[in-house]
């Protein structure tokens, strides 16, 4: 009796065709634009999970807590993140990100040219730029 050969197949093409593989999360590489960003944060890399500063310091986001924010009295689309481990890290030139306490939230907003990063030490989710302890401006590498 002849045993038929085993048939092997891969599910990978099926997964790919159905779009079941997760797309990689791409970070935004941003160049320090404001003088405060140049002096304190340097260039940054930011994605939905955290932020990495020029000196290699990394802060992890806990949750995206809001997608809108008020800047100078005007509502803007933004990303407001809570921090997994609130801290005020030492960055470029010995400067701290906030300088006045542990960073609890970061908010980002911008247009095609400039992205603003606002830093907060508040207990409650910030609704506007009024309570920020610092802000930094960045531009895209491209």
């Amino acid at each position: 009796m002849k045993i038929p050969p085993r048939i092997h197949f891969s599910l990978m093409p099926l997964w790919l065709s159905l779009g079941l593989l997760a797309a990689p999360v791409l970070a935004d590489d941003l160049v320090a634009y404001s003088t405060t960003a140049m002096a304190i944060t340097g260039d940054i890399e930011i994605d939905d999970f955290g932020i990495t500063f020029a000196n290699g310091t990394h802060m992890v986001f806990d949750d995206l807590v809001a997608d809108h924010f008020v800047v100078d009295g005007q509502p803007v689309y933004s990303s407001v993140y809570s921090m997994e481990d609130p801290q005020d890290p030492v960055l470029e030139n010995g400067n701290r990100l906030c300088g006045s306490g542990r960073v609890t939230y970061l908010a980002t907003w911008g247009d095609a040219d400039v992205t603003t990063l606002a830093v907060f030490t508040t207990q409650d989710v910030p609704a506007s730029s009024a309570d920020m302890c610092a802000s930094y401006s960045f531009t895209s590498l491209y």
Side-chain angles (χ1 to χ4, degrees):
M1 170 190 243
K2 187 173 181 180
I3 300 174
R6 290 188 170 185
I7 300 172
H8 295 280
F9 63 94
S10 171
L11 292 178
M12 187 61 74
L14 176 62
W15 284 48
L16 288 172
S17 66
L18 294 176
L20 297 176
L21 291 178
V25 174
L26 301 176
D28 289 329
D29 293 318
L30 299 174
V31 176
Y33 183 71
S34 63
T35 55
T36 53
M38 289 178 202
I40 297 174
T41 66
D43 299 344
I44 63 170
E45 184 178 285
I46 188 168
D47 61 27
D48 291 338
F49 302 101
I51 184 170
T52 303
F53 301 96
N55 73 350
T57 298
H58 182 74
M59 294 179 75
V60 177
F61 299 144
D62 188 32
D63 285 313
L64 176 66
V65 294
D67 61 3
H68 59 282
F69 196 68
V70 175
V71 178
D72 298 327
Q74 300 297 315
V76 297
Y77 291 106
S78 65
S79 296
V80 181
Y81 296 98
S82 60
M83 303 308 297
E84 182 176 274
D85 179 25
Q87 55 183 301
D88 193 11
V90 176
L91 300 175
E92 297 294 292
N93 306 306
N95 291 308
R96 293 195 174 270
L97 184 58
C98 186
S100 63
R102 294 180 178 196
V103 175
T104 52
Y105 297 94
L106 291 178
T108 63
W109 68 89
D111 56 30
D113 297 321
V114 177
T115 298
T116 301
L117 172 73
V119 183
F120 299 86
T121 59
T122 58
Q123 182 175 349
D124 296 327
V125 176
S128 77
S129 59
D131 294 325
M132 66 186 175
C133 62
S135 69
Y136 306 94
S137 297
F138 301 89
T139 189
S140 174
L141 286 173
Y142 307 103

